[in-house]
Amino acid sequence: MSTGEVGVEVGDSGDERAETPQPRVTPAPSHLVDAVDDARAAAVEEAADELGDDAAVAAVGAHLGTTVEDDGSVTHSFAAHLPGYRGWRWAVTVAAAAGDGPVTVSESVLLPGSTALVAPDWVPWDQRVRPGDLKPGDLLPTPADDPRLVPGYVDSGDPAVDALAREVGLGRERVLSFEGRAAAAERWQDGERGPAADLARSAPASCGTCGFLVPLAGSLQGVFGVCANGSSPADAQVVAVGFGCGAHSSVAEPSGSPVHVSALVYDDGVDLEPVGS
């Protein structure tokens, strides 16, 4: 493998191994690129701390490739054969203090590849409350610097809200900011009552033309409303004008019987001949 080259090898089973990082163009001393055995020994030593000497050798698989970090360090990658770590790789970084100096191991770690099973992204504690989590008696305070809210005496950017605030003498202490309205609009548009929902795609018409739609006030008026049809699955919920269901106000009752009735056949005057046994 040439200097700075990165590759992905295929094992005996035909499954593609974990991908190594993209290469850098900085050249590195050839003896660092060729130090595969030194890097493998470091990976085996790292594995031995957890698995023991006998199992450590088998835990370090084929050499997957080489990534040049800079002009004095190179990372070698090896397939990781560990239970529960499918798609992971051993990454061992070797370095040299001078151009042709001795090879030293800087770091040896396990890293996930593109097909590895990893934990979900960390969500801060103050952001873990989800719709439906609040129960009777629970309190969820909003921070003083919540970007979704602005003081009631500040123009919110919503003409209807601003006019009402001035009319009643500031009214509510805080009102929705532009960011708060935009976040709500995006959430509602992409949610279960948006135009992309399965129910909407099979509806005869959209909520924007339904007589049961109660439009929202303010800048969201032309985009969202509340369903007032007690027979609809979206009753009392915010719906996008592009949403729809089978309870649309334009759906008419079918005329005639919904059951197919065959034409009547009269047999009066027909001569019948008995069939002998």
Side-chain angles (χ1 to χ4, degrees):
M1 187 173 293
S2 61
T3 302
E5 181 181 356
V6 173
V8 177
E9 297 184 4
V10 178
D12 296 337
S13 63
D15 295 333
E16 186 178 77
R17 305 283 184 165
E19 297 179 359
T20 56
Q22 293 297 318
R24 299 185 181 183
V25 296
T26 306
S30 59
H31 72 301
L32 292 180
V33 177
D34 297 334
V36 177
D37 292 339
D38 293 330
R40 179 183 294 277
V44 171
E45 182 179 355
E46 183 75 18
D49 293 339
E50 297 292 336
L51 306 175
D53 295 337
D54 295 337
V57 176
V60 181
H63 184 246
L64 300 178
T66 304
T67 302
V68 178
E69 303 294 347
D70 52 41
D71 58 358
S73 61
V74 169
T75 297
H76 292 273
S77 296
F78 303 89
H81 298 316
L82 295 170
Y85 284 84
R86 181 172 180 173
W88 287 63
R89 59 186 174 85
W90 296 99
V92 180
T93 301
V94 294
D100 57 351
V103 176
T104 59
V105 176
S106 299
E107 187 178 30
S108 179
V109 295
L110 270 174
L111 294 178
S114 59
T115 60
L117 180 63
V118 296
D121 294 336
W122 167 260
V123 178
W125 291 105
D126 59 350
Q127 300 176 21
R128 294 192 178 187
V129 177
R130 292 293 181 264
D133 289 348
L134 293 182
K135 299 299 185 291
D138 291 344
L139 298 177
L140 181 63
T142 56
D145 57 349
D146 194 325
R148 300 170 299 174
L149 299 169
V150 294
Y153 57 83
V154 176
D155 286 345
S156 67
D158 190 331
V161 174
D162 294 340
L164 178 62
R166 287 189 290 270
E167 178 182 346
V168 300
L170 301 183
R172 292 169 290 172
E173 180 180 352
R174 291 197 290 178
V175 295
L176 271 178
S177 64
F178 174 82
E179 182 176 345
R181 291 196 308 278
E186 181 178 1
R187 188 170 60 250
W188 296 345
Q189 192 79 1
D190 298 338
E192 297 181 355
R193 297 295 180 254
D198 293 338
L199 194 62
R201 289 199 296 265
S202 61
S206 64
C207 292
T209 59
C210 182
F212 292 106
L213 180 72
V214 180
L216 295 184
S219 58
L220 299 179
Q221 180 176 3
V223 189
F224 300 101
V226 176
C227 177
N229 187 346
S231 300
S232 169
D235 179 44
Q237 298 182 28
V238 174
V239 295
V241 295
F243 181 68
C245 70
H248 192 278
S249 60
S250 66
V251 176
E253 294 184 4
S255 58
S257 174
V259 180
H260 176 70
V261 179
S262 301
L264 296 177
V265 178
Y266 298 92
D267 58 1
D268 294 347
V270 178
D271 294 334
L272 300 177
E273 297 182 1
V275 178
S277 58

